[in-house]
Amino acid sequence: ASVVSAALCCTTLQAKEKVWRFDDIPTGKLPIGWKVDATNPGGDLASWQVVRDKSAPSSSQVLALTSINHNNAAAFNLCWTDSISFLDGEIEVKFKASTGSVDQGGGVIWRVLDAENYYIARFNPLEDNFRLYSVKNGTRRELAGASVSLPAGEWHTLKIVQKGDRYAGYLNGKKYLEGRDDTFLKRGGAGLWSKADAVTSFDDFSVKTK
């Protein structure tokens, strides 16, 4: 009985990982189970689609915000999926900030309940900062921040580690953010984020759950 119990325990604790490299998705489309959304839209939704990019970290396709379609500086542009259920684990993505005069860059969202409730971690090369926020009922609150200078137009890696109410945020393998927050303690979806007119590309989006 003890052997069976040990086997069940190990199976339960084994991490599961889902990776989207976007190379098997037809250009102009979204991955199955993904949707375009916005917080405080105030206009049309941004356009997101899989596109070819010769600079892509893996193969030749990425998921990109290709057109803003609005002039709302307060809008958060979302592309996310609830086909996964994330509570604890790691989320990682490679991103490239392309254009944007109000904002640039972007990042990941997790424990997403809907377009008004989730966590964000994002890097902005215009402001030279890396920040983590909660968005509750459409209102954003900063939880942690660090001054970081990285060039736009190049690929960088952002990673979040979450366990219970503890979080840690990494850029290019270096930990910059760490803290605790209990705003969202339930499972939710995960995805990608940009603000206002920030046009950004993403590749190798991975979600590892425990």
Side-chain angles (χ1 to χ4, degrees):
S2 61
V3 174
V4 173
S5 297
L8 289 173
C9 175
C10 292
T11 301
T12 302
L13 294 177
Q14 186 176 5
K16 296 180 180 179
E17 185 175 17
K18 172 67 175 178
V19 181
W20 287 268
R21 302 199 188 280
F22 309 116
D23 300 315
D24 58 345
I25 310 298
T27 56
K29 302 293 185 180
L30 292 176
I32 294 174
W34 286 62
K35 55 190 171 184
V36 174
D37 223 331
T39 309
N40 308 318
D44 294 334
L45 296 178
S47 298
W48 296 75
Q49 58 185 304
V50 171
V51 299
R52 295 191 179 279
D53 186 337
K54 292 182 179 179
S55 73
S58 64
S59 195
S60 60
Q61 293 190 171
V62 302
L63 178 58
L65 192 162
T66 55
S67 180
I68 295 300
N69 303 331
H70 62 75
N71 58 2
N72 181 10
F76 301 160
N77 310 299
L78 313 179
C79 190
W80 67 286
T81 178
D82 55 10
S83 64
I84 53 174
S85 181
F86 181 85
L87 181 64
D88 292 338
E90 299 179 5
I91 296 178
E92 183 173 296
V93 74
K94 294 180 175 66
F95 69 96
K96 180 178 69 173
S98 299
T99 62
S101 57
V102 176
D103 272 86
Q104 278 187 20
V108 299
I109 56 177
W110 69 99
R111 290 186 179 175
V112 186
L113 304 182
D114 53 39
E116 305 289 318
N117 296 277
Y118 50 87
Y119 284 117
I120 315 165
R122 69 96 178 106
F123 172 72
N124 186 333
L126 278 181
E127 301 176 356
D128 289 330
N129 58 40
F130 179 32
R131 291 181 178 171
L132 193 147
Y133 303 88
S134 65
V135 174
K136 185 174 183 180
N137 298 326
T139 299
R140 186 174 68 167
R141 179 170 68 97
E142 184 176 341
L143 303 176
S147 296
V148 184
S149 181
L150 295 173
E154 297 181 10
W155 289 97
H156 304 289
T157 302
L158 187 156
K159 183 174 77 170
I160 285 296
V161 178
Q162 181 83 50
K163 184 177 181 182
D165 66 350
R166 295 179 179 273
Y167 59 80
Y170 298 75
L171 277 176
N172 293 341
K174 181 178 179 180
K175 182 164 69 174
Y176 288 96
L177 308 177
E178 191 171 27
R180 304 181 73 164
D181 183 74
D182 62 359
T183 304
F184 302 112
L185 296 176
K186 296 181 178 179
R187 295 179 178 275
L192 307 169
W193 180 97
S194 91
K195 182 175 182 287
D197 64 342
V199 172
T200 308
S201 298
F202 299 89
D203 201 9
D204 300 340
F205 180 71
S206 70
V207 179
K208 185 182 294 183
T209 58
K210 295 183 179 179

